[in-house]
Amino acid sequence: RKCTLCLEKGHDAEDCPRTKNPSKNSGGAGSGRSHKNSRRAGKGDDDTSNTNGDAAESDERLLPSGFFSSVDDLLADMSIVAKEEGKEQPPPVLFDAGCDVGEALDYIATTQSNKKKSSTVTYRNAPHVAVNAYGGCLCRQLLKPGKAWKPDAQRISWIKEADPDTLFVLGLGPAFLNKQLAQARDIDDSDDSQDEDESTSNDDEEEQDAAVEALVSSMDRDDGVVGFFAKLDYSPDILQRPGYDREAQLRRFRATCSAAMEGDVPIQCRIAPGPTEGDDNDEAENDQVDPYVSVVRDLATVLVEMSPEDSDEILKIHLVCWNGNSTHMLKLLGAFPEHLYVGMNAAVGFAKAARAHECAFDVPLNRLLLETDAPYNIPAPVTIAMGRAAFSHSGLIPFVAAAVAEHKGQAATAVDVARAAAENVVQLY
């Protein structure tokens, strides 16, 4: 047996000695556990390299500067900052503004554990977390037609067991507002005497209303539902899937916008694919067929369409896991200067992610949100330390903050970035 927490042999995650000390974890990815050392090595330490490949040793010094794995070190740093700056600032609260805890647990269960119980233990006691206050995560889940949201459903309970501070952002699954599926169901109704166009129009309106109601009613059932989610993915292979044609995706996007305004909650918008070479502006020669240019134009068109200037309702927008270019990001921020926020995940720390680096530099701190996009995009330092045992979880937000700060130059530290992002989460959600 080999433990997926400490990578030592002789026991599994449930029996790991690191989980036996009650002071080491209070529950929730990101609530932290105690380590011997605090700051990330690199300031004169001779033993910073992990020459023996022992991930458990290296995780003692992984946390970026300003984030701590012991309460004593955190309090000591606050005292130092107070003396240097003349005032004491509380440490930033860590929020993961975009992830899927369920998929992260599936990943752990598939690759590192054979039991769901073990995967929740592994997630709950994940390494590389800080003792800085943990505010929680926003976990995406999709609804299915005819199945109301149930906060006590087995999978949702499983997610909450892994991270009790989970809040939910719900989206419409591909079976919603899917004309292809509807036509298949109604194929035998061709002899209906009603006018076909009028019937189709009425059906569209009824389906739209039902989709909006499915989202809004979930908030009545669960106070933990704090927003809605929609994705536009124009990748050629995705568009070929049932329920993912461009028209169906746009219908769901509009319905989700309507539900967000009705429920007075934010909408998380995600687009794919990202830009390719030559997509830096709208004048690209192939802009009529390029998937990225098409999807970013549709995104902007629908957001403007759903946000009329004379409306009393406000559409609050979260561009989750933004993977577009900086030019389009700045245009969207300019179009929605007060109610649009940009989420960045661990991909900003990848060496070849040049466009993400530009966006990290350009996005204003008062419009920035930090996300892990778990189970995807594991920060590079964690992958190096843990190898195949690494997985993404909400406790890795300090690494995302550090990656953004690196591309801010001298304008902000990782702690500055995390503090601003936390304030923005509270402001938006």
Side-chain angles (χ1 to χ4, degrees), residues 62-387:
L62 266 180
L63 285 170
S65 178
F67 299 91
F68 302 90
S69 51
S70 78
V71 175
D72 289 342
D73 289 335
L74 175 62
L75 295 176
D77 183 76
M78 291 173 61
S79 178
I80 293 172
V81 171
K83 291 180 180 179
E84 291 176 350
E85 300 181 0
K87 61 179 180 179
E88 183 175 309
Q89 282 189 313
V93 178
L94 304 178
F95 288 98
D96 183 355
C99 66
D100 188 334
V101 179
E103 285 196 12
L105 293 171
D106 290 336
Y107 174 83
I108 296 169
T110 301
T111 62
Q112 301 181 54
S113 170
N114 293 322
K115 298 180 296 182
K116 286 187 175 182
K117 182 178 180 181
S118 181
S119 66
T120 58
V121 171
T122 301
Y123 190 94
R124 197 165 55 240
N125 298 284
H128 314 316
V129 296
V131 295
N132 302 63
Y134 177 58
C137 69
L138 302 179
C139 175
R140 297 183 291 271
Q141 295 289 289
L142 294 180
L143 299 176
K144 296 180 180 180
K147 293 187 177 181
W149 172 255
K150 295 181 179 180
D152 57 350
Q154 182 177 3
R155 185 171 180 84
I156 305 308
S157 299
W158 185 41
I159 290 172
K160 291 178 179 178
E161 180 185 352
D163 188 345
D165 295 307
T166 300
L167 298 172
F168 293 95
V169 177
L170 306 183
L172 299 171
F176 278 97
L177 299 172
N178 185 340
K179 283 189 175 181
Q180 294 177 341
L181 294 178
Q183 290 171 353
R185 289 194 302 264
D186 299 336
I187 192 68
D188 297 328
D189 297 337
S190 56
D191 294 334
D192 197 323
S193 59
Q194 276 189 307
D195 180 80
E196 184 176 350
D197 292 337
E198 181 181 349
S199 176
T200 300
S201 176
N202 292 336
D203 289 346
D204 287 346
E205 291 182 6
E206 290 178 3
E207 288 188 33
Q208 185 88 0
D209 292 342
V212 172
E213 176 62 21
L215 289 170
V216 175
S217 63
S218 65
M219 298 177 61
D220 298 329
R221 297 186 180 92
D222 185 1
D223 292 338
V225 175
V226 296
F228 301 135
F229 168 75
K231 182 176 181 178
L232 294 178
D233 190 341
Y234 290 0
S235 303
D237 58 325
I238 297 296
L239 291 174
Q240 300 303 314
R241 297 180 184 179
Y244 286 94
D245 59 278
R246 175 174 175 267
E247 186 179 353
Q249 292 190 53
L250 286 172
R251 282 197 297 270
R252 288 193 293 272
F253 187 21
R254 289 188 174 93
T256 308
C257 288
S258 297
M261 289 190 293
E262 183 174 334
D264 191 26
V265 294
I267 177 174
Q268 290 191 359
C269 312
R270 188 168 189 171
I271 62 169
T276 57
E277 293 299 325
D279 293 340
D280 290 329
N281 55 63
D282 290 341
E283 282 71 39
E285 293 181 0
N286 63 340
D287 61 353
Q288 296 301 316
V289 296
D290 181 82
Y292 168 71
V293 175
S294 297
V295 75
V296 80
R297 282 184 174 178
D298 280 355
L299 170 72
T301 298
V302 173
L303 292 179
V304 171
E305 169 191 313
M306 301 299 294
S307 306
E309 294 183 0
D310 57 349
S311 175
D312 294 332
E313 296 180 322
I314 297 174
L315 183 60
K316 296 180 285 189
I317 305 161
H318 172 181
L319 300 180
V320 65
C321 298
W322 175 252
N323 66 339
N325 62 41
S326 181
T327 301
H328 293 130
M329 179 191 75
L330 292 174
K331 286 183 178 179
L332 288 166
L333 284 167
F336 304 93
E338 297 180 1
H339 306 293
L340 185 143
Y341 294 77
V342 179
M344 306 207 74
N345 60 33
V348 72
F350 298 163
K352 295 184 179 180
R355 285 189 172 87
H357 301 165
E358 293 175 5
C359 291
F361 178 82
D362 287 334
V363 62
L365 282 181
N366 67 346
R367 288 291 174 265
L368 172 68
L369 300 174
L370 299 178
E371 306 155 354
T372 61
D373 195 26
Y376 312 105
N377 296 318
I378 305 170
V382 179
T383 302
I384 293 171
M386 294 189 67

